[in-house]
Amino acid sequence: MIHRLLAHPWWPWIRRICFGGCIAFVLVLLARYARHVDWPKVVESMRELPPGVLATAVGFAVISHLVYSLLDLVGRHYTGHHLAARKVMQVSFTSYAFNLNLGSLVGGIGFRYRLYSRLGLRPGQITRIVTLSMVTNWLGYILLAGLVFSFAPLQLPPDWKIDSEGLQLVGVGLLAFEVVYLGLAAFAKKRCFKIRGYEVPIPTLKVAGAQLGVSCTHWLFMAAVPWALLQGQVDYPTVLSVLLLASIAGVMLHVPAGLGVTEAVFVALLSHRIPVHELIGALLAFRAVFYLMPLAAGALLYLKVEVRTRNKEAVA
């Protein structure tokens, strides 16, 4: 039935309408809240962030990025290549830093292919690493979203005409997906299948457990960054829920770094609990800590690789 629906000639138009509706919704939110933001107060709230709070946020961001860099070690184990763990982690970190700021085609895919090919891996190996990395990242997302939406549903603003029951249903569906994935990992005889031309590997149950452990830890510490910057004004499960919703919204709208989308979602869901200028100030600090600082470090690592490669080519 699903296959027939996707093949229906009206399906592309349905996708375009949904996509356009989502963009319009986000633009309306941005325009609505931007008009009422006291920007001098936003700047002031950023300046007033205590050094200890900033240090805590940086610490959480460092742990999150460090854990994410372990993602490709799962791919190393799965593909069986023998690159040093340190080099694999550097590739993963650099790719993720560019992925966050410029989108998955540039960072998650483009940089991985370039850096791994520099290190001597074959295109087939790189493709499997990239695919497994993307699957691993979203497996953790799905598990955490399933748990928080099911057992700690987000309390939506009082003027919204919907309640949290819809999120609970989504959460149950996501948890069911995780159960199916773990079942396939444990019992499937075919270890790879294709979706739209992309090979999606089915790992062993041990590897699947490692995927969930690494990815969930990464997402948990990522959410801890804005939670720390909000200084306890909102409980951690709520911040995690909002971040998960903002992340999927950014992906659906194909907006690099979720620029504007993340802010719109946070403001829409939390402005009834936190003054808007404080909320936006914390989110701008979040961008600086989690997005821009790693991008600067990733750019330096990438420049180092390029210089070394060119020096070797010049000597040869």
Side-chain angles (χ1 to χ4, degrees):
M1 180 179 177
I2 295 177
H3 178 73
R4 289 199 300 270
L5 176 62
L6 295 178
H8 197 281
W10 284 101
W11 177 246
W13 286 101
I14 295 173
R15 288 181 58 188
R16 292 190 187 102
I17 291 171
C18 292
F19 180 71
C22 289
I23 289 181
F25 177 70
V26 171
L27 290 176
V28 168
L29 284 178
L30 287 173
R32 175 186 173 187
Y33 290 112
R35 287 199 306 268
H36 303 288
V37 172
D38 188 336
W39 292 104
K41 280 191 175 182
V42 171
V43 175
E44 183 182 351
S45 69
M46 292 179 66
R47 289 176 177 171
E48 291 178 350
L49 286 171
V53 169
L54 288 173
T56 301
V58 170
F60 285 145
V62 168
I63 295 172
S64 180
H65 279 273
L66 178 63
V67 171
Y68 186 93
S69 69
L70 301 176
L71 224 65
D72 282 17
L73 291 181
V74 179
R76 175 175 177 257
H77 172 79
Y78 185 76
T79 59
H81 71 75
H82 299 291
L83 291 178
R86 177 178 58 83
K87 290 184 177 180
V88 172
M89 292 176 69
Q90 286 180 353
V91 170
S92 185
F93 169 80
T94 303
S95 300
Y96 183 54
F98 281 92
N99 181 17
L100 280 174
N101 291 275
L102 301 176
S104 60
L105 287 178
V106 175
I109 299 175
F111 268 79
R112 273 192 174 90
Y113 270 95
R114 184 169 181 81
L115 292 172
Y116 276 128
S117 62
R118 295 282 195 189
L119 294 171
L121 293 190
R122 299 186 304 274
Q125 289 177 303
I126 301 172
T127 299
R128 295 176 73 190
I129 292 170
V130 169
T131 304
L132 193 71
S133 173
M134 294 172 66
V135 170
T136 299
N137 181 51
W138 289 108
L139 278 176
Y141 174 97
I142 290 170
L143 178 58
L144 288 176
L147 290 172
V148 296
F149 294 166
S150 298
F151 300 107
L154 186 64
Q155 297 301 312
L156 298 175
D159 58 338
W160 284 37
K161 298 183 182 303
I162 59 174
D163 54 29
S164 301
E165 292 183 2
L167 277 181
Q168 287 183 302
L169 291 176
V170 171
V172 171
L174 294 175
L175 290 177
F177 176 88
E178 290 288 347
V179 171
V180 171
Y181 183 80
L182 292 174
L184 289 172
F187 304 111
K189 295 181 180 179
K190 185 178 179 181
R191 308 310 298 181
C192 187
F193 61 95
K194 287 188 176 182
I195 297 180
R196 295 188 176 182
Y198 291 96
E199 288 190 351
V200 179
I202 300 295
T204 63
L205 187 59
K206 181 179 179 180
V207 173
Q211 287 179 290
L212 290 174
V214 171
S215 183
C216 286
T217 304
H218 156 66
W219 281 101
L220 287 170
F221 276 100
M222 180 180 179
V225 179
W227 172 75
L229 292 168
L230 289 171
Q231 303 179 66
Q233 295 184 77
V234 183
D235 59 278
Y236 175 79
T238 295
V239 176
L240 176 61
S241 296
V242 177
L243 178 69
L244 293 173
L245 289 172
S247 298
I248 196 63
V251 171
M252 290 174 63
L253 296 176
H254 304 289
V255 178
L259 192 60
V261 178
T262 300
E263 288 79 4
V265 173
F266 266 85
V267 170
L269 295 175
L270 296 180
S271 60
H272 65 295
R273 301 172 64 174
I274 304 174
V276 173
H277 67 275
E278 292 184 17
L279 186 55
I280 294 180
L283 291 172
L284 292 177
F286 169 54
R287 285 203 173 275
V289 168
F290 197 85
Y291 290 76
L292 298 182
M293 289 175 58
L295 178 63
L300 291 175
L301 285 174
Y302 177 69
L303 181 62
K304 179 181 176 182
V305 171
E306 288 294 324
V307 169
R308 281 186 175 180
T309 302
R310 292 186 180 184
N311 288 340
K312 288 180 181 179
E313 290 174 349
V315 171

